[in-house]
Amino acid sequence: DQQVKQNSPSLSVQEGRISILNCDYTNSMFDYFLWYKKYPAEGPTFLISISSIKDKNEDGRFTVFLNKSAKHLSLHIVPSQPGDSAVYFCAASDSGANSKLTFGKGITLSVRP
Amino acid sequence: EAEVAQSPRYKITEKSQAVAFWCDPISGHATLYWYRQILGQGPELLVQFQDESVVDDSQLPKDRFSAERLKGVDSTLKIQPAELGDSAMYLCASSPGPSKGYNSPLHFGNGTRLTVT
C-alpha cells in the first residue's frame, strides 16, 4: 500500500508559467514533507521541505503548501524554467528516532521553451 | 558543498554473480541509508544505519543482500547471487542523525546503476 502518492506521472508547462505538482499521503503519523528533484543519471537533490506545524514554505521560485486535513501537499514553481525539467519526488517522514523517508513514484516535469 | 560518494557508477553483471557497491557519506553524518530505485518508481529503503548499527533492514532481502558499516563511516552493500530483478539504481544517502534534530533532509549520492543480464 503506497503511503505517498503522486498520481500524475507527468506534467508539461510553458516556460514562464506556473508548475503545480501534487502529492497525497495516507499515513497520519507523517509530519515532515520534502520535495526532491532528480536529473537522469544523478541522485535526488533536496529542493524544499515543510513541517506539519506550517501550511506554507517558500524558497525563491519554489513554494510548498501543506493541507493536513486533506493529507495533501503541492509544490508550486513560479516562473517555470527549462532547467526545471526533471523528475520530482514527494517524500514524507515521521518524527521517530529512526525516521526514514517514504517516497512517491515521482512526476516528470517538462518545461517547454 | 560536501557530497555523498558512491562507486562504481555503473555495473553490469551476469545473474548468479556477486556484486558490491560502496558508499562514503558526508563527513560527520551519523545516519546512512541504502535505497533502491526501480525505473518509474520512487526510491525504496533497503537498510538504515545509525553509526555502525542497523536500525532498519525490514525491506532488505536478507537471503541475498547484505550491508555493513563496520567503523560507522563508509558502507558496502552486497548482492549474492544477483538476479535479473535486481536491475535498478542503488542510492546511498546520509543525514546528520537524530542528535542534530529529527527533521533534516537526506543527501543522496549519484547512485550505482546495476544491470543484471
Side-chain angles (χ1 to χ4, degrees):
Chain A
D1 179 37
Q2 270 202 304
Q3 299 186 66
V4 178
K5 301 178 182 180
Q6 295 178 263
N7 293 320
S8 301
S10 62
L11 176 67
S12 180
V13 300
Q14 191 74 36
E15 180 179 6
R17 306 295 291 268
I18 184 172
S19 295
I20 300 177
L21 288 70
N22 293 306
C23 178
D24 298 291
Y25 62 96
T26 58
N27 189 338
S28 58
M29 298 301 292
F30 288 152
D31 60 3
Y32 182 54
F33 305 89
L34 308 88
W35 285 93
Y36 280 81
K37 175 179 177 180
K38 186 180 182 303
Y39 292 118
E42 293 184 9
T45 302
F46 169 70
L47 197 56
I48 192 169
S49 64
I50 188 167
S51 166
S52 60
I53 62 173
K54 296 184 175 181
D55 55 16
K56 176 182 175 181
N57 188 26
E58 190 172 355
D59 184 1
R61 297 186 296 113
F62 303 91
T63 303
V64 56
F65 295 91
L66 175 63
N67 183 333
K68 291 187 292 293
S69 61
K71 293 191 176 66
H72 176 83
L73 62 155
S74 61
L75 175 68
H76 293 209
I77 306 173
V78 182
S80 301
Q81 299 174 354
D84 296 329
S85 297
V87 178
Y88 289 78
F89 290 103
C90 172
S93 71
D94 58 33
S95 293
N98 297 314
S99 62
K100 63 184 182 185
L101 284 185
T102 300
F103 286 82
K105 288 186 176 183
I107 301 173
T108 299
L109 174 65
S110 299
V111 180
R112 306 185 304 274
Chain B
E1 182 177 305
E3 295 182 347
V4 175
Q6 287 190 251
S7 65
R9 286 296 307 274
Y10 304 93
K11 180 69 178 180
I12 300 174
T13 192
E14 294 182 347
K15 64 179 181 180
S16 79
Q17 296 298 304
V19 63
F21 315 128
W22 177 80
C23 171
D24 190 13
I26 293 173
S27 178
H29 279 195
T31 309
L32 184 147
Y33 310 78
W34 283 100
Y35 278 83
R36 176 171 62 184
Q37 186 194 0
I38 296 170
L39 195 62
Q41 304 290 320
E44 294 181 315
L45 181 69
L46 291 174
V47 61
Q48 178 182 348
F49 289 92
Q50 183 62 37
D51 299 309
E52 67 277 7
S53 300
V54 173
V55 297
D56 187 346
D57 64 356
S58 57
Q59 300 303 310
L60 188 71
K62 299 181 189 62
D63 57 335
R64 298 185 301 107
F65 286 64
S66 64
E68 60 183 17
R69 193 185 184 199
L70 293 176
K71 297 183 179 179
V73 181
D74 59 339
S75 176
T76 303
L77 178 70
K78 297 178 181 177
I79 308 175
Q80 182 174 20
E83 296 181 352
L84 295 177
D86 297 332
S87 295
M89 173 79 85
Y90 290 82
L91 293 161
C92 179
S94 69
S95 71
S99 65
K100 301 295 184 183
Y102 294 121
N103 291 339
S104 56
L106 273 60
H107 300 264
F108 283 86
N110 283 328
T112 296
R113 169 69 66 187
L114 174 67
T115 302
V116 181
T117 62

